[in-house]
Structure formats: C-alpha cells, structure tokens
Amino acid sequence: MDSRPKLHYPNGRGRMESIRWALAAAGVEFDEEFLETREQLQRLQNGNHLLFQQVPMVEIDGMKLVQTRSILHYIAEKYHLFGSDLKEKTLIDMYVEGTLDLLEMIIMHPFLKPDDQQKEVVGMTQKAVLRYFPVFEKILRDHGQTFLVGNQLSLADVILLQTILALEEKVPHILTSFPYLQEFSVKISNIPTIRKFLEPGSKKKPPPDDSYVRTVYTLFAP
Amino acid sequence: MAGKPRLHYFNGRGRMETVRWLLAAAGVEFEEQFFETRDEFEKLIQGGTLMFEQVPMVEIDGMNLVETRAILRYIAAKYDLYGRNLKEQAWIDMYVEGLKDLSDMIMYFPLSLPEEKDMNLEYILERATSRFFPVYEKALRNHGQDFLVGNRLSWADIQLLEVILMAEECKPSVLSDFPLLQEFKARISHIPTINKFLQPGSQRKPPLDEESIKTVKNIFKFERGMFLKNMATIVAEY
C-alpha cells in the first residue's frame, strides 16, 4: 500500500497550490513538510532530494517528483483526471497550459514592486476576460456539459476553478460576462472532494501575505 | 489520411524549435507556414485557429494544437518517445522541464539589454554547468545506458541534445567537465533521423541574428525588461 504523498514547499500557495488542488480533487490525502528556513532547503538540496535543487517536490510512489507540470501530469494520469484517450488528454493539456499561463501572473504578483502590483491586476484581468475566459465559456456553451472535456472531471476543470477563485479574490466580479463559467464554478465547487477542499480546515492555503513573501525571499533569494 | 503536420511560427527557433527536433527525430515530414510581420501574425490570430491567440500552433491529425508543452506531449505520445509506463513518463517529464528552464534562458538571451548581456551570459553558463548538466551527466553515469530513460530513445534525449548544442553556441567548451554528455552528444547526433536534421538544408533553424531579432521584436512586441523577468524567480526589489 502506498503511503500518502508528501509535499515539500513553503507554507503558502505558490507553485504547489495547483498540486494541492489536484490531489484534493482526486480525493487523495497528503502530508506536507513546510520549508521555513534556508537550512531546511539546503538539507534537501545537499541530500540530493531535489533533482534541480528546486521545489515544489512531491514524494510519491517511491519517487521524488519535481517540476510542477511533471507532478501535475503524474497525479492526473494516476488518478484518472486526464481523459480517456490521447485526443482528450491533449485537449486537457492545452486547456491546463493556457490556464497555467494566466495563473502564473497571479503567482508572481506578490513579488512585484508595490507600484507595479495594481497595474498587474489590471493586466491579469484583461488577459482573463479577453483571452482565456472567452475560450472556456465557448467550450462550455458549445457542448453544454458540466466538464470541459469528455463529460468527466479532469485536471483542466480543477486548474480552471483554482484560477477563477484566485482571480475573484482580487477582482470579485470578474465572471460577470461569463454565465457558463459562473455555472461551471458553482458546479465544480460542489463536487464532494472539491467542496471539502474549499471548507475551512482543509489544506487549501490562504492568499499570499507579507509573511509568505518574506519566507520566500529568505529561502530563495540568491 | 491526414496530411503532413503544419507548423505556424516565424522563421526562427523560438519555442517551435523543439517541436521541429521531435518531429524530425521521429522521422515525420512536416510543412511550415511562416509569418514575417506583425500584420501577418495578426491575420493568423484573426483567422481563429490560435486558441489563446498565441503561437506555436501545429495543425496535426485534424487539430490545431497550441501550447508548446501540449504539442510536444502529443508528438511524443504518438511517436512512442514518451516511455513505456507512467514512471518512465514522469522521469522524461522532469528531465524535459529542467531542459526547458535552461533553454528558455538561452532563447531569451539575444533580447537582453546591451548592458545586461555579459551578466546574463555568465548566469546562463553558470546555471548550465552547475545546476542542469550535472543532473544529466549523473543520470547517464548511474545507469550506464545510452539513453536517459528506459534504455531507449525518448523526448528527453532529443531535447537534451538540442539544448547541449544551444549551450555550445554560447560557449563551445561548455561540456568540458561532462565526459558522458560529450559521448551522449556524439551518439545521439548519429541517429539517422537526427543526423539528417543536423545537415545543412534541413528545417533546423539558425540562431537569431541582428536582422531576425528585429523581426521578432516587431512581431511579438516584446516589452523592455521581459528577459530579466523570465530569468529571475524573483523580479522585484522589496
């Protein structure tokens, strides 16, 4: 019997949050080891636990997986969040990659100069509303199904929901012009594993604050 | 029967080059449609075939694939360059993601501000020789096999060769401390399909020069300072 996956990362969202979402959506319980000091990170590096000296790292099935996308793909394959054939998998891949491009702006946001942060909120809103949301709105409208691909939950649905909710924290009415995405957001949030993840006390992390930013600088600044 | 895959990009390496490598290594003939100006690029966007208004885009098997990684994964899966099981796939994924980090830095390097060129080059070479190449050297040393994963050619081997050659263009002696990578380079270069791709007249693209840098900047409207943003994990003073 495999033991639970173990996540190595600071105690905050960053690049690990998508992985938390994916595991939670798949109903997989996991443990976390939070990086707080440089010494901890160095111990991981010196112990050869990090293939490229970087986190995220997830211990799973006897492997120490690194690189966010590798980890997400592994989880999606293993827990059937990747469609039922190569074409579905490829659609899911495209949707996930596009969404991760948008999510990247959110991940980097706390590390911008304070003066640039507001401008970036405008930038990410524009990208969301002009480039990404219309694509997914159309997909949902065209096939009329609950899920983006293949009429079943996939990584694409999970990452899109994560991104929508993160954007709504900064721009509450960002889905105003997207009725299908609004419905999508509600429906996917109500899937039992995801609803559990959205409740207080879950491993979902709060929005990044000053303390998180300071921790990241402590750990990773050269 | 579907026609040949058709690649939509500008006439240069950029993010499409790894796709060209993978198709070539798999022995798959492909066509290319180049756009050369901002107008031509915008016409492509307006044509509605770019899901997120971005390139690369590859027409293949009735789909208009976008997002470099999605394209590469499709090709790798289709042409059996993605390992034989989930664990091999995970290793290939990790290796290519690491290579992408390094190759992105090299890709963006020509767009450096003049005053940052030396610093960026030093950083790239330092990363190559202390973070990335040691990983692949060690992998080859540990299993003593010809290929990175599963004792057969995969996407990881093809992209490693590509990135080795890019790094050597930055500094010819960059592999001097990596004897196994030197052997690997020679070995993989001699695979017939890859060897063919390395010959003059193939669809392999040259590095950017003064002229093509201008073209690229014009088409994609790169912002000042974008390169540094992509090189550093943390970009801001705090």
Side-chain angles (χ1 to χ4, degrees):
Chain A
M1 177 63 216
D2 298 321
S3 53
R4 292 148 59 122
K6 184 181 231 194
L7 280 48
H8 295 260
Y9 205 69
N11 187 359
R13 290 181 182 176
R15 297 189 183 293
M16 187 62 99
E17 192 71 351
S18 300
I19 292 160
R20 297 182 184 108
W21 269 88
L23 286 169
V28 177
E29 300 215 1
F30 55 91
D31 297 321
E32 302 197 79
E33 185 142 308
F34 296 123
L35 291 177
E36 266 140 29
T37 67
R38 207 138 179 160
E39 289 68 46
Q40 276 176 283
L41 177 62
Q42 279 163 354
R43 236 179 296 136
L44 281 179
Q45 291 169 330
N46 297 336
N48 287 315
H49 301 289
L50 307 177
L51 188 64
F52 300 109
Q53 315 307 330
Q54 291 170 318
V55 287
M57 188 269 276
V58 175
E59 295 179 71
I60 183 169
D61 299 339
M63 293 182 294
K64 296 187 165 79
L65 292 186
V66 297
Q67 295 288 352
T68 312
R69 278 156 173 93
S70 309
I71 301 166
L72 284 174
H73 291 156
Y74 186 83
I75 294 167
E77 296 269 14
K78 184 174 179 183
Y79 298 108
H80 309 295
L81 292 172
F82 233 159
S84 43
D85 60 27
L86 182 55
K87 284 216 166 174
E88 286 190 356
K89 183 187 294 194
T90 302
L91 281 177
I92 292 164
D93 232 347
M94 282 198 284
Y95 300 162
V96 167
E97 286 295 321
T99 312
L100 287 176
D101 281 348
L102 182 56
L103 188 64
E104 181 75 11
M105 297 175 82
I106 298 168
I107 291 173
M108 294 305 299
H109 184 255
F111 303 100
L112 297 175
K113 283 190 240 187
D115 289 342
D116 290 335
Q117 282 186 3
Q118 186 45 39
K119 236 194 314 172
E120 188 69 350
V121 172
V122 173
M124 63 175 80
T125 306
Q126 280 181 336
K127 281 260 148 74
V129 160
L130 296 175
R131 176 172 287 183
Y132 294 103
F133 287 173
V135 173
F136 299 120
E137 180 80 1
K138 178 170 199 287
I139 287 162
L140 292 167
R141 190 174 60 236
D142 284 353
H143 64 40
Q145 292 165 4
T146 301
F147 305 101
L148 284 169
V149 179
N151 216 5
Q152 54 175 346
L153 183 70
S154 77
L155 189 63
D157 304 299
V158 175
I159 305 299
L160 180 56
L161 179 62
Q162 176 197 358
T163 305
I164 285 172
L165 295 181
L167 282 167
E168 282 182 333
E169 282 168 354
K170 298 190 190 310
V171 185
H173 304 292
I174 201 167
L175 283 190
T176 300
S177 313
F178 302 98
Y180 282 87
L181 284 176
Q182 289 174 38
E183 206 183 315
F184 170 86
S185 184
V186 169
K187 283 199 193 142
I188 305 301
S189 298
N190 276 306
I191 290 169
T193 49
I194 294 177
R195 191 170 58 232
K196 191 164 162 220
F197 188 61
L198 291 171
E199 278 161 9
S202 83
K203 295 203 163 98
K204 182 171 184 281
K205 299 295 173 276
D209 58 12
D210 286 344
S211 159
Y212 172 71
V213 173
R214 262 198 305 278
T215 304
V216 171
Y217 273 103
T218 303
L219 286 169
F220 301 123
Chain B
M1 178 64 217
K4 297 181 191 172
R6 178 173 255 215
L7 279 49
H8 294 260
Y9 208 60
F10 74 93
N11 188 358
R13 288 180 179 176
R15 297 197 178 289
M16 189 63 99
E17 192 71 352
T18 309
V19 177
R20 297 180 184 111
W21 270 88
L22 212 56
L23 286 170
V28 177
E29 295 200 10
F30 57 91
E31 289 166 357
E32 304 197 74
Q33 179 110 43
F34 301 121
F35 46 85
E36 259 132 42
T37 63
R38 178 82 200 167
D39 280 346
E40 285 175 20
F41 181 44
E42 282 180 3
K43 226 182 357 163
L44 180 62
I45 294 174
Q46 268 134 40
T49 53
L50 307 180
M51 183 178 289
F52 302 114
E53 301 173 333
Q54 290 171 319
V55 285
M57 188 271 274
V58 175
E59 293 178 65
I60 185 169
D61 297 338
M63 298 179 288
N64 294 325
L65 293 189
V66 296
E67 294 292 340
T68 314
R69 287 172 172 98
I71 297 166
L72 290 169
R73 287 160 56 81
Y74 182 79
I75 296 168
K78 182 175 179 185
Y79 295 106
D80 198 22
L81 292 167
Y82 214 174
R84 275 165 298 213
N85 54 52
L86 189 50
K87 286 210 168 177
E88 287 189 356
Q89 198 180 120
W91 276 103
I92 291 167
D93 261 344
M94 287 196 279
Y95 286 148
V96 299
E97 283 294 311
L99 288 169
K100 182 182 191 291
D101 283 350
L102 178 56
S103 83
D104 275 358
M105 286 185 224
I106 300 175
M107 181 182 69
Y108 285 123
F109 174 67
L111 302 170
S112 304
L113 298 171
E115 63 270 23
E116 285 165 357
K117 262 205 145 85
D118 286 341
M119 177 187 82
N120 288 343
L121 182 59
E122 207 180 294
Y123 181 75
I124 288 168
L125 292 171
E126 187 269 335
R127 291 276 93 166
T129 53
S130 65
R131 174 163 290 190
F132 293 105
F133 287 163
V135 171
Y136 303 98
E137 179 83 3
K138 183 176 178 209
L140 292 169
R141 190 171 57 239
N142 282 353
H143 60 44
Q145 291 166 4
D146 285 352
F147 305 101
L148 283 171
V149 179
N151 211 8
R152 69 208 284 259
L153 183 71
S154 77
W155 170 12
D157 303 299
I158 296 159
Q159 195 160 349
L160 176 56
L161 176 60
E162 180 196 0
V163 174
I164 282 173
L165 296 179
M166 283 169 81
E168 284 184 332
E169 283 168 355
C170 294
K171 183 180 179 188
S173 60
V174 74
L175 282 192
S176 57
D177 292 333
F178 303 101
L180 293 178
L181 287 181
Q182 293 173 36
E183 281 172 30
F184 174 88
K185 173 192 161 191
R187 196 163 56 237
I188 305 301
S189 299
H190 280 103
I191 292 171
T193 47
I194 293 174
N195 193 255
K196 189 163 165 219
F197 189 60
L198 292 170
Q199 304 300 328
S202 81
Q203 280 158 299
R204 184 170 180 232
K205 302 292 173 276
L208 289 179
D209 57 19
E210 284 295 319
E211 200 52 49
S212 45
I213 290 173
K214 268 194 238 128
T215 306
V216 163
K217 280 188 176 168
N218 185 46
I219 294 174
F220 294 116
K221 299 199 168 153
F222 284 127
E223 315 144 29
R224 187 187 187 282
M226 188 195 83
F227 173 51
L228 255 191
K229 233 194 265 182
N230 280 281
M231 244 195 12
T233 327
I234 293 157
V235 305
E237 286 102 61
Y238 194 73

